[in-house]
Amino acid sequence: MPTRAFVSPWSLSRWLDRSSLLLFFAAWELAPRAGGLLETFIAPPSVVLMTLWELLLSGELCDHVTISLGRAIAGFTGAALIALPLGFLLGGNFRTFERIVTPVLRFLGQVNPFSLFPLFIILFGISELSKEAMIFWVCIWPILFNTITGVKGIDPLLVKSARSMGTGVVPLFFKVILPAASPGIFTGLKMGAGTAFFMLIAAEMIGASCGLGWLVWNAQINFQIPKLFAATVVISVLGMILNMLLVTLERRLLGWLDSSPNH
Amino acid sequence: MAGVVDVPQQIQTDAKIVVKAITSVFHLKKTRTEPAREFIALKEINLEVKKGEFLVLVGPSGCGKSTLLDILTGLAQPTSGAVYIDGNKVTGPALDRGIVLQGYALFPWRTVRQNVEFGLEIKKVPKRERRAISDNFIHLVGLDGFADRFPHELSGGMKQRVAIARALAYDPEVLLMDEPFAAVDAQTRESLQDELLRIWEATGKTILFVTHSIEEAVFLGDRVAVLTPNPGTLREIVKIDLPRPRHNSDTRSSAEFGWIRRKIWELLQNAPHESRHHLNAVPVAEAISPTASL
Amino acid sequence: MRLPAAVNSLLLRSSGVLIFLILWETAPRLAWVDPYFVPPLSIVVREIWLLLETGDLSRHLLVSSWRAVTGLSLALVVALPLGIILGRWLTGLASALEPLLRLLSQINPFAMLPLFLLFFGIGETAKVAVVTWVTLWPILFYTIIATRTVDPLQIKSAAALGVSRSEMLCKVILPAAVPTIFIGIRIGASLTFFILIAAEMLGAGSGLGWLVHNSAMNYLIPRIYAGATFIVLLGFLLNRLLLYIEASLSIWQGSQSGSPVAGQSRASSWRPDRGSAVAGTAILVLVLILGALEVRRLNQEALAGASSSSSHAKHFGTPADSSDGGL
């Protein structure tokens, strides 16, 4: 599956022994030494690492990371808490209603979160709530749509066979419907978590006074090139860790899925 | 469900399953505006299955055999008439009947063992007992060593064995099977048939087996109930006098086997006028073929 | 028989939108929600009309689309040949480069935004470069995968006919790869709008993102909604155009139900002819040309107005000397 290949993580051991990466880092290290414009604009990895170490020692880095992660988690959790039950209701019990509201939901899902962000700022100020509202908005749509699709796609034969064994409503939900819909749900959660982090950085650049996005933006404005590079590296590494965690979690939870694309 | 009310809740009978005057009518609407058309899926079906008997329902697609099975399972309600198990009216699904469906319907997120234990969990059997029971039935269907595999790692025939083990595990007295072997290849199918007979003899369950293959019906059944479509009616019940045990012997090639097969085929061919009209519309050879199971 | 059902379904589907629009109008009017923060639909429509009349909206719309389309085209120009080469011929190099490409693609593009602004200033180059950067990766990866996974049987049977290398590429590999490549292009296009709007909010003097941000700065709330609506519209139109072109390029495909992009199930059931695809491409080219002219005009205006005109830059404390690398 091409989608999977695109987001798939690349395990640590696999890329460490790849020469292209080493070459890249070597070039990055050496390029600024050529002088001129490159020297002004590029901080070599050694300097970046040192800056990172300083940021870490001063505790500044930890603060920003915790703040950013806190915002992402708050928005994401809020979105999941609303989107999951709603998705089950729309996908399972209220099919006609689902058909009516889907176009509206699709439209809302298309609304670019950045165009709403100024509104959130006006509503909530440059407080945590404006960022959390933005993450909430970003996360809720993939979770909702994928849950609906997951619930709608449950093989009726599975439900039939469970019901023929006299399964009650509650066990039916927890033992059949929930696991059967879990691939869809997980896809939604994964997409939500990925975009949440992605968007958060931009949101923090546009309207925040702390957090990783602000750190990058502030470094750019003040022309602190090593800090700018260091923050970019932290953001990228965090994003990769998040991605790896999600993929590991997926393997754990959905190992039973037939991975061969034969549908 | 006005017709259901005047049916007694209990009857006196020796038979395991009694199907009494079942009629099932669907109201079909092709579009929202069009007035509903009545479609009689089953008309006045009467049937008795003795304890420990292997009864096969055979008929072409659309003769209502799956509807009948849904009613027996308790997943569907008849328009009139009732089904009794041990003299008690069936009102809904329960663990006294095990069901095996054509599409396996295994839960893909559960291993073979967890699938087999599903009904036991619903029955709230303690974990240790569950394990012993599932071990036993996994062994019975010949899947030792596959207990911790997931369904997608199994072949079609193996999946169907798991489905059978799952239906047997919670110890129902009646096993209802809806074209369980339709999706597997011919060779696997024969071995599964042999296996089923062996399991049936070992467990003494009452089995009601639905198929569209005449060959399969004759090979498996004590009696074969022939259903004809449009509306679904019970044409005749044919007693199969072939000696048992039939597995591991050349039952399939005996002259008598061929003769019974021929007789059922003719019964289905010379259906009453109204249904013959239907059969001509659908190519008969496709709907029911005496060699469908090869 | 099918028509009434189709009409019915259309009515059912549109009823939701209708109710939504009615709610949008009535809820603020009946003060269910604060009309200051959620202005009724009619006021937003009037705002859109006003913006259209002054030509503001169309200018920003054109500028934003120009940036999106230019970035996307640049990414295509780079990623398509590179992807084909890496996927088809230099497979050894491809696997050697893969970890590096993955690393670069996983860098949060928003984190790269300041770097791009640093390198290219707040001129057009930075915005186009950011869009190119973002769209480059999905297109590149999907092209590599698409060309790599062409059915070997198809290659074999073509090779048996003795086709040349270029024929093999144009007549076998590319047609087979088109659907997958388009998945990448559409993912890229949807990312484009996220990053473009953010970039325009952070460092620009025109474009829809700037319009929305500027309106917010000046508390022109109906204008935010007007801008937001147009951003949705633009994203939707670009996606439609791409679907249009894709459908005509891969007519052989029975249905493209396999593509994972959400919200296009309805669109995939219809199929345009080649003529309308040409029209779609023509629109894209038109956007490119008109947009370029407009952007050039704007930049000249900005230069003429000198540093005093960049009121926006003050909001962010962006260095006013920003070496405009305008095209």
Side-chain angles (χ1 to χ4, degrees):
Chain A
M1 257 171 98
T3 2
R4 198 160 288 195
F6 175 55
V7 290
S8 95
W10 24 289
S11 62
L12 207 72
S13 60
R14 228 180 66 206
W15 65 263
L16 264 182
D17 54 354
R18 290 291 172 80
S19 50
S20 62
L21 281 174
L22 291 177
L23 278 173
F24 170 73
F25 282 108
W28 181 7
E29 179 69 45
L30 293 174
R33 286 166 217 278
L37 213 61
L38 290 174
E39 196 182 2
T40 340
F41 282 131
I42 296 177
S46 52
V47 177
V48 171
L49 279 177
M50 257 166 55
T51 319
L52 268 180
W53 182 242
E54 282 162 19
L55 283 172
L56 202 64
L57 281 185
S58 68
E60 199 182 341
L61 188 64
C62 262
D63 289 349
H64 290 301
V65 170
T66 345
I67 286 167
S68 287
L69 286 182
R71 285 169 181 159
I73 289 168
F76 177 79
T77 317
L81 283 180
I82 289 185
L84 287 179
L86 195 64
F88 271 105
L89 287 177
L90 288 178
N93 303 28
F94 303 101
R95 292 283 174 91
T96 316
F97 187 62
E98 188 258 338
R99 271 164 53 99
I100 293 175
V101 294
T102 297
V104 179
L105 295 179
R106 288 254 176 247
F107 173 80
L108 291 177
Q110 289 257 326
V111 173
N112 193 311
F114 291 117
S115 51
L116 289 180
F117 189 52
L119 212 64
F120 291 146
I121 293 184
I122 290 178
L123 274 174
F124 308 119
I126 307 196
S127 65
E128 293 306 301
L129 209 55
S130 60
K131 264 77 71 185
E132 283 161 16
M134 165 113 168
I135 300 304
F136 174 85
W137 180 268
V138 167
C139 290
I140 194 166
W141 305 110
I143 302 178
L144 182 63
F145 292 139
N146 281 293
T147 307
I148 292 177
T149 320
V151 175
K152 274 165 96 179
I154 294 175
D155 185 355
L157 212 57
L158 293 181
V159 179
K160 183 179 174 180
S161 119
R163 287 222 300 133
S164 74
M165 288 184 246
T167 316
V169 178
V170 176
L172 186 72
F173 179 80
F174 284 104
K175 283 181 190 285
V176 181
I177 294 183
L178 193 62
S182 61
I185 294 172
F186 198 82
T187 310
L189 290 176
K190 209 167 76 168
M191 280 169 73
T195 31
F197 192 68
F198 185 76
M199 295 296 171
L200 178 68
I201 301 304
E204 286 176 342
M205 285 182 186
I206 298 172
S209 50
C210 51
L212 286 170
W214 175 84
L215 191 67
V216 178
W217 189 247
N218 195 47
Q220 195 259 134
I221 286 174
N222 297 320
F223 213 70
Q224 297 166 309
I225 304 294
K227 208 169 177 181
L228 171 60
F229 273 84
T232 307
V233 166
V234 171
I235 291 169
S236 303
V237 168
L238 272 181
M240 287 165 198
I241 292 176
L242 181 72
N243 202 352
M244 270 187 223
L245 279 179
L246 285 170
V247 171
T248 323
L249 198 67
E250 183 176 31
R251 280 214 195 109
R252 271 286 183 80
L253 289 178
L254 303 177
W256 51 269
L257 264 185
D258 191 357
S259 49
S260 58
N262 55 355
H263 39 266
Chain B
M1 295 287 147
V4 185
V5 185
D6 47 298
V7 174
Q9 291 298 309
Q10 270 183 328
I11 54 165
Q12 283 292 322
T13 176
D14 292 336
K16 188 77 195 167
I17 308 172
V18 176
V19 175
K20 215 170 178 185
I22 287 280
T23 298
S24 181
V25 181
F26 292 115
H27 297 274
L28 292 180
K29 274 205 280 190
K30 272 192 181 158
T31 61
R32 212 168 283 273
T33 45
E34 192 187 322
R37 283 188 312 126
E38 279 200 351
F39 172 74
I40 304 170
L42 293 168
K43 191 180 175 187
E44 287 291 312
I45 305 279
N46 284 294
L47 194 65
E48 287 197 359
V49 187
K50 290 190 281 290
K51 189 170 166 48
E53 190 182 19
F54 199 131
L55 185 109
V56 183
L57 286 171
V58 70
S61 19
C63 71
K65 49 192 195 309
S66 290
T67 310
L68 183 57
L69 209 77
D70 280 354
I71 293 171
L72 280 160
T73 319
L75 290 172
Q77 293 292 325
T79 311
S80 66
V83 173
Y84 298 91
I85 304 243
D86 290 325
N88 296 314
K89 186 167 166 263
V90 166
T91 51
L95 290 170
D96 58 351
R97 283 149 281 153
I99 186 165
V100 180
L101 299 165
Q102 178 184 344
Y104 319 126
L106 297 182
F107 302 116
W109 55 90
R110 287 172 159 252
T111 60
V112 167
R113 180 190 304 288
Q114 288 165 338
N115 263 290
V116 173
E117 288 180 3
F118 186 87
L120 301 170
E121 283 175 30
I122 300 298
K123 226 176 163 181
K124 299 209 163 51
V125 175
K127 197 169 184 182
R128 187 165 299 173
E129 267 177 66
R130 283 209 304 256
R131 171 125 193 153
I133 296 170
S134 60
D135 271 339
N136 183 15
F137 282 100
I138 289 168
H139 174 72
L140 183 71
V141 297
L143 285 177
D144 304 88
F146 290 94
D148 297 319
R149 297 288 180 89
F150 284 105
H152 73 84
E153 298 170 295
L154 305 177
S155 70
M158 288 159 97
K159 283 183 197 165
Q160 202 49 267
R161 284 161 195 257
V162 179
I164 293 172
R166 182 176 67 181
L168 287 170
Y170 49 89
D171 200 27
E173 289 180 35
V174 176
L175 203 55
L176 305 169
M177 308 181 86
D178 188 3
E179 304 203 26
F181 305 150
V184 294
D185 63 276
Q187 256 178 326
T188 315
R189 191 172 188 160
E190 282 196 8
S191 74
L192 281 171
Q193 288 167 0
D194 286 352
E195 198 92 339
L196 181 62
L197 284 183
R198 186 178 59 75
I199 292 168
W200 172 61
E201 274 154 27
T203 56
K205 304 283 179 200
T206 308
I207 295 183
L208 203 142
F209 189 104
V210 167
T211 181
H212 64 260
S213 152
I214 300 174
E215 172 132 5
E216 187 167 74
V218 175
F219 178 72
L220 292 172
D222 289 328
R223 291 186 298 155
V224 173
V226 181
L227 288 171
T228 50
N230 236 354
T233 20
L234 187 57
R235 178 112 163 90
E236 195 168 322
I237 297 180
V238 182
K239 196 159 168 49
I240 314 290
D241 279 327
L242 296 170
R244 292 211 187 254
R246 293 179 194 162
H247 55 274
N248 304 330
S249 67
D250 35 6
T251 309
R252 287 190 185 86
S253 51
S254 73
E256 212 185 347
F257 184 86
W259 187 84
I260 301 170
R261 196 177 71 186
R262 173 80 196 165
K263 184 184 170 188
I264 293 175
W265 187 72
E266 275 170 3
L267 275 173
L268 286 163
Q269 285 292 296
N270 307 321
H273 183 70
E274 45 186 349
S275 58
R276 189 186 306 166
H277 176 72
H278 170 82
L279 280 178
N280 284 342
V282 180
V284 182
E286 256 177 52
I288 36 155
S289 139
T291 53
S293 74
L294 223 75
Chain C
M1 272 298 154
R2 285 216 45 175
L3 196 68
V7 170
N8 244 321
S9 135
L10 191 73
L11 276 176
L12 196 68
R13 294 182 72 89
S14 51
S15 65
V17 179
L18 211 67
I19 291 168
F20 173 73
L21 292 179
I22 290 171
L23 266 181
W24 189 354
E25 179 64 34
T26 50
R29 291 231 181 261
L30 299 175
W32 293 344
V33 294
D34 192 340
Y36 179 68
F37 289 121
V38 184
L41 177 65
S42 54
I43 292 192
V44 174
V45 170
R46 212 188 57 198
E47 186 65 36
I48 292 178
W49 179 249
L50 272 175
L51 281 170
L52 277 176
E53 238 178 9
T54 57
D56 269 2
L57 193 56
S58 49
R59 203 173 67 228
H60 293 302
L61 189 67
L62 196 59
V63 169
S64 284
S65 351
W66 178 79
R67 287 170 184 155
V69 173
T70 310
L72 202 59
S73 314
L74 275 177
L76 274 175
V77 168
V78 176
L80 272 185
L82 195 63
I84 293 167
I85 290 169
L86 287 177
R88 209 57 237 168
W89 288 290
L90 303 176
T91 45
L93 183 66
S95 52
L97 280 180
E98 198 197 337
L100 178 62
L101 296 180
R102 291 244 175 256
L103 176 77
L104 292 178
S105 74
Q106 294 225 340
I107 294 174
N108 190 323
F110 290 120
M112 297 293 281
L113 199 60
L115 268 181
F116 278 103
L117 290 176
L118 200 65
F119 275 102
F120 303 113
I122 61 161
E124 293 308 314
T125 326
K127 259 87 74 184
V128 171
V130 159
V131 171
T132 308
W133 172 267
V134 170
T135 43
L136 185 74
W137 302 110
I139 299 177
L140 182 62
F141 284 127
Y142 277 91
T143 308
I144 292 178
I145 289 162
T147 46
R148 192 187 280 164
T149 53
V150 174
D151 187 356
L153 271 179
Q154 293 174 359
I155 307 258
K156 220 177 201 174
S157 49
L161 294 171
V163 298
S164 69
R165 256 193 171 198
S166 57
E167 275 176 319
M168 180 76 94
L169 178 68
C170 298
K171 296 199 169 149
V172 183
I173 295 170
L174 275 183
V178 158
T180 315
I181 293 176
F182 260 91
I183 296 173
I185 296 180
R186 275 211 310 275
I187 291 176
S190 60
L191 288 176
T192 298
F193 275 92
F194 286 136
I195 193 102
L196 181 63
I197 300 303
E200 286 178 347
M201 284 182 172
L202 282 167
S206 57
L208 287 173
W210 177 83
L211 180 71
V212 169
H213 193 255
N214 190 256
S215 318
M217 287 294 155
N218 299 313
Y219 285 84
L220 297 168
I221 294 188
R223 215 180 243 222
I224 300 179
Y225 282 92
T229 313
F230 262 79
I231 293 171
V232 177
L233 210 68
L234 195 58
F236 178 77
L237 279 180
L238 186 66
N239 196 30
R240 260 304 154 91
L241 267 176
L242 289 173
L243 277 173
Y244 227 70
I245 299 169
E246 174 186 4
S248 59
L249 279 177
S250 50
I251 286 175
W252 55 271
Q253 242 202 344
S255 87
Q256 52 205 35
S257 52
S259 48
V261 180
Q264 49 109 12
S265 51
R266 225 151 40 99
S268 62
S269 59
W270 107 151
R271 208 147 279 290
D273 51 278
R274 201 161 270 273
S276 42
V278 170
T281 319
I283 291 175
L284 285 183
V285 173
L286 204 67
V287 165
L288 266 180
I289 297 169
L290 286 179
L293 291 175
E294 185 65 32
V295 165
R296 202 188 159 132
R297 200 178 62 77
L298 277 176
N299 283 343
Q300 274 166 356
E301 265 177 30
L303 277 179
S307 57
S308 63
S309 72
S310 61
S311 64
H312 168 75
K314 280 179 216 147
H315 284 302
F316 301 100
T318 320
D321 65 345
S322 57
S323 51
D324 246 83
L327 293 176

